[in-house]
Amino acid sequence: MAKDLSSLRPTSDLPLPVASSPFKGVRQRSWGSWISEIRLPRSRERIWLGSYSTPEAAARAYDVAAVCLRGPSTTLNFPKSPPAVQARQYTPKEIQSMAAEAAAAAVAAATPPPKFPPSSCTSSNLAP
């Protein structure tokens, strides 16, 4: 005896919600992480740049890749602080590596230093 499946709706026509980003080349996954990727010029291929905890880090990764692929005159997410990239041909692996370094630097720069409790050893209670 066959089951009647006519009432079931196919899931292929239900898009998953994806948050948009104010940054080019950046989108948010449904579970909250931010990803970055870039298309190769004159191609449908993409270079995966990584998954990041903040959209700013993902955007920094995109900027490095954009300069590597399209040159210093390309549109950037952060035009006031362009990445310092030498003008030459890069492999996709090199681009991924430089993008990851730029994103890590952006996260490190945005992370405040840890706050330590005041030390019990101060100059006023030290013996001369």
Side-chain angles (χ1 to χ4, degrees):
M1 178 179 245
K3 292 184 179 180
D4 181 23
L5 300 177
S6 63
S7 64
L8 295 178
R9 187 172 171 187
T11 59
S12 62
D13 63 349
L14 298 175
L16 291 174
V18 175
S20 64
S21 168
F23 299 112
K24 185 173 177 148
V26 176
R27 60 189 166 95
Q28 188 176 26
R29 294 281 189 168
S30 59
W31 52 88
S33 65
W34 295 89
I35 63 132
S36 182
E37 60 188 357
I38 190 168
R39 285 191 184 271
L40 294 172
R42 297 171 299 283
S43 172
R44 294 186 57 91
E45 283 186 66
R46 295 179 185 162
I47 297 177
W48 175 259
L49 301 175
S51 179
Y52 303 98
S53 58
T54 65
E56 290 81 11
R60 293 285 181 182
Y62 177 87
D63 282 0
V64 168
V67 171
C68 288
L69 292 171
R70 299 185 179 104
S73 62
T74 190
T75 303
L76 299 174
N77 290 308
F78 300 101
K80 293 182 180 178
S81 57
V85 177
Q86 295 177 359
R88 69 173 186 88
Q89 293 286 347
Y90 293 98
T91 66
K93 290 283 185 197
E94 290 173 324
I95 293 171
Q96 288 172 329
S97 176
M98 289 188 301
E101 288 175 16
V107 169
T111 305
K115 294 182 180 179
F116 296 105
S119 176
S120 61
C121 183
T122 61
S123 60
S124 63
N125 64 5
L126 293 176

